[in-house]
């Protein structure tokens, strides 16, 4: 012990040099230690717990000293199959304490009885439903709760589940920017990166979109865009959140300057995201679309035309309080942050608290539930502020909202009204379906990703008796009538339905972005740019459709000007035969059949006689 005390009293550099000299003579064959050696200091558990049989004690001690002296972050050491460890940054203790015992399970649902039982079990155990489609349900829960959940389920579901994420804490850790958990006293030595002559990084990716950004970065970025592009960008405030934050937005558009001519209501399209705080990709996607439209003005003819014909309101996060909370406390927080009737259960699901067909007087309306709708319609502060702002725009600010796109994640779907019921069809169903199919195609052509198109209500799982094993067992006669299984959560009170029905917005959609469950809400940052690009293509198609350049167009024989195109009302329908489809150039709207030069345009248009 006296030797060790003297040895450890040396300066760090001399101590490290001494260990380096001694290591060649200190392998397992030359040094005899007790079966459980008492080390003079604690070795990192990530290093000592793995590959201990291949590394000597002195080698481990050296690694530990290097980390401590030069403040190098600890790394998880795992075998790579070649006898050498691999280094993967591990989550800090705070994340491990909160999420270390959690996982995400996907249940495959095959009958209405299974759906009903699973929905009841979720309600009883207050489980976090991540997503559900017509085929599966993703649930986040603690590993300790798995036996309790399975005990409430029928035998058919006992083995009808697969884990999507074994290490939820690691996935959460990797979703944050790399410097989020960096020790501020030890700033990283970042290597120099070459820049192009335009001062853009050599990677070609705007530095703002390399990682997800907190609200404290998004706000000055929005102000910067306003100052750089004052001709067509204004930063506005939608309202004040429960905790007193502004709900920021960018209004993008070029207004006519002829004051002598009375101006008609300005057609406005709203692009919103971040209603659910943990859906970071929705916030970054709204930012990407806004940035691409702003910077393409004057450069790309089609975008310039869209900004001259419409006002575009981009709202990155309708839930700023919840978004900040996901950065500072709980990455998987979904609701806003307002107080409820239970002091220890905060938050209201903003996308379930709008006034149209609000349906939260059921047993599942518990303040501790992730989909808590509030005790009355519009109890969610931010949803009420948003609705008030939209009404004020239409009634007092000479605006006419003609389009609404609400970005969410995940499952890669384009959903149209109604959400509250599958038995009530919207009056303009054909038009909604046609545009939704066009949006899905615009996305597919951009990156090759497939987005499904369906009614928002059918997230409750819809089937026909032929597909229901219960009906097959009873040998029911085939029928085309759909049967609807129990919902995992209520569909009433959505922003989608409210804008379509109450505000008479002709084209309202909810777009659920990437992915289909591999990462869920924890989509890696490398997906920010490709998701933004495909969303930009969809939004551009959306605008062109409303102008009449693509899709349904009301015009006379020789009518071709964009300002003559009429946007169909929700109660109008149009049917056309197959020969009505022609290919058009997205920049000028003329028939492009036989065009030899340039890229062949893939867009479709229905031309009316």
């Amino acid at each position: 012990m006296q030797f060790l005390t003297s040895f450890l009293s040396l300066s760090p550099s001399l101590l490290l040099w001494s260990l380096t000299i001694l290591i060649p003579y200190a392998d397992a064959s030359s040094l005899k230690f007790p079966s459980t050696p008492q080390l003079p200091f604690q070795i990192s558990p990530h290093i000592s717990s793995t590959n201990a049989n291949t590394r000597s004690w002195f080698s481990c001690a050296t690694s530990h000293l290097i980390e401590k002296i030069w403040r190098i972050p600890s790394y998880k050491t795992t075998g790579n199959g070649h006898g050498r460890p691999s280094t993967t940054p591990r989550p800090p203790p705070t994340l491990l304490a909160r999420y270390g015992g959690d996982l995400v399970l996907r249940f495959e649902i095959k009958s209405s009885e299974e759906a009903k039982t699973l929905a009841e079990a979720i309600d009883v155990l207050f489980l976090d439903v991540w997503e559900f489609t017509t085929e599966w349900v993703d649930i986040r829960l603690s590993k300790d709760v798995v036996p309790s959940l399975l005990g409430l389920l029928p035998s058919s579901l006992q083995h009808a589940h697969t884990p999507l994420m074994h290490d939820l804490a690691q996935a959460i850790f990797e979703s944050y920017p790399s410097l989020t958990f960096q020790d501020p006293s030890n700033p990283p030595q970042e290597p120099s990166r070459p820049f192009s002559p335009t001062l853009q990084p050599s990677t070609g990716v705007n530095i703002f979109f390399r990682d997800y950004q907190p609200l404290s970065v998004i706000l000055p970025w929005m102000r910067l865009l306003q100052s750089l592009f004052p001709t067509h960008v204004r930063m506005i405030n939608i309202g004040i959140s429960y905790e007193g934050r502004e709900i920021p937005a960018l209004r993008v558009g070029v207004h006519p300057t002829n004051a002598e001519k009375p101006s008609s209501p300005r057609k406005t399209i709203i692009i919103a995201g971040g209603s659910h705080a943990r859906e970071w990709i929705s916030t970054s996607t709204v930012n990407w679309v806004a940035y691409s439209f702003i910077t393409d003005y004057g450069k790309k003819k089609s975008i310039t035309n869209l900004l001259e014909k419409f006002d575009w309101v981009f709202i990155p996060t309708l839930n700023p309080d919840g978004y900040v909370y996901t950065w500072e406390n709980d990455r998987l927080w979904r609701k806003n942050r307002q107080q409820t009737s239970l002091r220890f259960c905060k938050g209201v699901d903003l996308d379930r608290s709008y006034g149209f067909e609000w349906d939260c007087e059921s047993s599942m309306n518990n303040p501790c539930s992730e989909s808590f709708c509030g005790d009355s319609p519009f109890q969610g502060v931010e949803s009420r502020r948003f609705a008030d702002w939209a009404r004020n725009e239409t009634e007092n600010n000479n605006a006419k909202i003609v389009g609404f796109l609400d970005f969410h994640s995940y499952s890669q779907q384009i959903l149209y009204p109604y959400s509250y019921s599958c038995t009530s069809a919207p009056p303009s169903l054909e038009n909604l379906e046609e545009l939704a199919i066009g949006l899905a195609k615009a996305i597919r052509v951009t990156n090759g990703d497939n987005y499904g198109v369906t009614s928002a209500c059918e997230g409750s799982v819809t089937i026909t008796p032929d597909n229901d094993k219960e009906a097959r067992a009873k040998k029911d006669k085939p029928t085309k009538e759909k049967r609807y299984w129990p919902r995992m959560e209520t569909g009433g009170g959505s922003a989608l339905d409210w804008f379509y029905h109450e505000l008479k917005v002709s084209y309202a959609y909810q777009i659920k972005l990437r992915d289909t469950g591999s990462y869920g809400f924890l989509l890696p940052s490398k997906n920010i740019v490709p998701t933004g690009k495909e969303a930009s293509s969809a939004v551009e198609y959306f605008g062109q459709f409303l102008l009449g350049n693509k899709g349904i167009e009301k015009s006379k024989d020789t009518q071709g000007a964009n300002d003559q195109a009429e946007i169909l009302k929700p109660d109008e329908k149009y049917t056309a035969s197959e020969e009505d489809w022609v290919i058009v150039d997205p920049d000028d709207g003329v028939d492009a059949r036989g065009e030899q030069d340039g890229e062949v345009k893939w867009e479709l248009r229905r031309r009316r006689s």
Side-chain angles (χ1 to χ4, degrees), residues 24 86 129 131 160 162 172 188-189 248 279 284 290 332 356 400 441 443 461 489 528 534 541 544 589:
S86 61
V129 177
E131 192 54 79
T162 54
I172 289 173
Q189 299 297 321
E279 298 171 6
S284 67
L332 296 178
F356 179 68
K400 179 183 180 182
K441 184 172 183 179
I443 292 173
V461 183
E489 61 184 32
I528 293 175
E534 62 195 24
Y541 182 94
Q544 295 289 352

Side-chain angles (χ1 to χ4, degrees), residues 286-358:
V286 173
N287 286 333
W288 176 277
V289 177
Y291 179 79
S292 64
F293 272 47
I294 290 169
T295 55
D296 281 343
Y297 176 73
K299 300 177 183 178
K300 189 175 179 181
K301 185 177 178 181
S302 59
I303 296 297
T304 301
N305 190 42
L306 290 177
L307 265 59
E308 291 173 350
K309 299 299 181 182
F310 298 108
D311 266 4
W312 299 78
V313 178
F314 296 96
I315 311 172
T317 175
L318 286 166
N319 183 8
D321 297 345
Y323 188 70
V324 170
Y325 193 75
T326 61
W327 282 85
E328 297 179 352
N329 292 278
D330 184 356
R331 172 64 181 86
L332 296 178
W333 185 260
R334 168 186 167 105
K335 303 179 286 184
N336 74 351
R337 291 293 300 161
Q338 75 185 74
Q339 187 60 58
T340 66
S341 56
L342 293 181
R343 188 167 58 89
F344 51 87
C345 288
K346 285 188 174 184
V348 173
D349 183 347
L350 295 181
D351 200 38
R352 293 291 176 262
S353 65
Y354 288 82
F356 179 68
E357 292 295 337
W358 180 85

Side-chain angles (χ1 to χ4, degrees), residues 255-266 398:
H255 292 255
T257 56
N258 186 0
E260 297 179 359
K261 183 179 179 181
S263 60
S264 58
R266 180 72 169 172
N398 199 30

